[in-house]
Amino acid sequence: MKDILNDKATLRSQLMNSRSRVGSDRRVAASRALRDALLALPEIAAAGTVAAYVPVGSEPGGRDLAEDLAAGSTRRVLLPVLLADDDLDWALYEGPASLVPAGRGLREPIGPRLGPEGVRTADVLVVPGLAVDRRGMRLGRGGGSYDRALARAPKAAVTVVLLYDGEVLDEVPAEPHDVPVDIAVTPAAVYRFTR
Ligand SMILES: Nc1nc2c(c(=O)[nH]1)N(C=O)[C@@H](CNc1ccc(C(=O)N[C@@H](CCC(=O)O)C(=O)O)cc1)CN2
Ligand SMILES: Nc1ncnc2c1ncn2[C@@H]1O[C@H](COP(=O)(O)OP(=O)(O)OP(=O)(O)O)[C@@H](O)[C@H]1O
């Protein structure tokens, strides 16, 4: 178990390091391609409620991800609010003015909080990650926030991680609490994992 934690930490720092070296041109191009691929998924088209996040820094997806998901549709978009114990609360995205700077470089929604159980209303969860493997096992930032949120999500919900090309690996170290995702979207490809 200790080895797995070490392996996760090492892999995390390698991946964060390569992300920090992605230039802004490549990031913008990647975000466009990712957004187009994500919006083209039939699961997104069919979703009444999507739980998403607001990409910051070098994260793939673009800072307007929530707007991209909400624009021109009746879809509800839920966004995470980080709690003190690293668990996630949720609130509705209500337009660009409803996002405010929060701790750890994040931008969070200011609307009414739905509670951590709010994620139970999601048909699709678009989640951040640093890498995924061929089984759909995802490496996150290490707070266990999304492990907890995914454990609460409806069984029928579809989970999608957004990554750069090169972050789909043969194997990511996994622990029993890790919950695999169904789909990984990168600028160049859509990967579907079988459960
Ligand atoms: N965009 C986004 N929102 C998210 C997550 C995420 O990974 N990405 N989370 C996923 O669980 C939760 C927040 N968890 C986080 C955990 C750690 C750090 C972090 O280490 N931040 C750096 C500063 C980064 C910067 O300033 O650019 C730090 O505190 O050193 C950020 C978010 C919920 N919202
Ligand atoms: N369902 C859960 N309930 C409570 N704590 C959990 C749960 N799942 C994971 N954790 C805790 O979260 C911590 C981090 O887990 P892990 O290293 O797998 O994070 P991660 O998957 O990389 O991050 P994230 O889920 O935030 O993207 C661990 O200490 C773990 O015990």
Side-chain angles (χ1 to χ4, degrees), residues 17-27 30 58 164 167:
N17 198 3
S18 13
R19 271 195 186 177
S20 70
R21 283 184 269 110
V22 175
S24 66
D25 285 1
R26 185 174 157 224
R27 186 145 67 222
S58 59
Y164 290 107
E167 294 175 341

Side-chain angles (χ1 to χ4, degrees), residues 69 108 116 119 123 183 189 192:
L69 283 164
E108 292 183 339
V119 72
D123 302 304
I183 299 174
R192 287 176 177 270

Side-chain angles (χ1 to χ4, degrees), residues 11 131-133 135 137-139 167 169-174:
L11 190 55
V132 73
D133 72 14
R135 301 166 294 175
M137 292 311 258
R138 184 189 61 93
L139 183 72
E167 294 175 341
L169 308 177
D170 282 340
E171 195 173 352
V172 161

Side-chain angles (χ1 to χ4, degrees), residues 53-57 59 80 82 88 104-106 128 141 145-146:
Y53 64 101
V54 185
V56 294
E59 291 181 323
L82 185 63
L88 301 180
R104 305 211 213 173
L106 297 168
R141 288 190 188 258
S145 308
Y146 274 92

Side-chain angles (χ1 to χ4, degrees), residues 8 12 138 140-148 175 177-178:
K8 281 192 176 183
R12 250 180 220 121
R138 184 189 61 93
R141 288 190 188 258
S145 308
Y146 274 92
D147 292 325
R148 283 175 268 183
E175 295 170 87
H177 63 248
D178 286 316

Side-chain angles (χ1 to χ4, degrees), residues 73-98:
S73 76
T74 55
R75 251 187 316 267
R76 296 166 77 231
V77 176
L78 304 182
L79 295 173
V81 178
L82 185 63
L83 299 175
D85 64 354
D86 280 350
D87 204 346
L88 301 180
D89 200 341
W90 298 89
L92 199 58
Y93 172 69
E94 294 175 309
S98 70

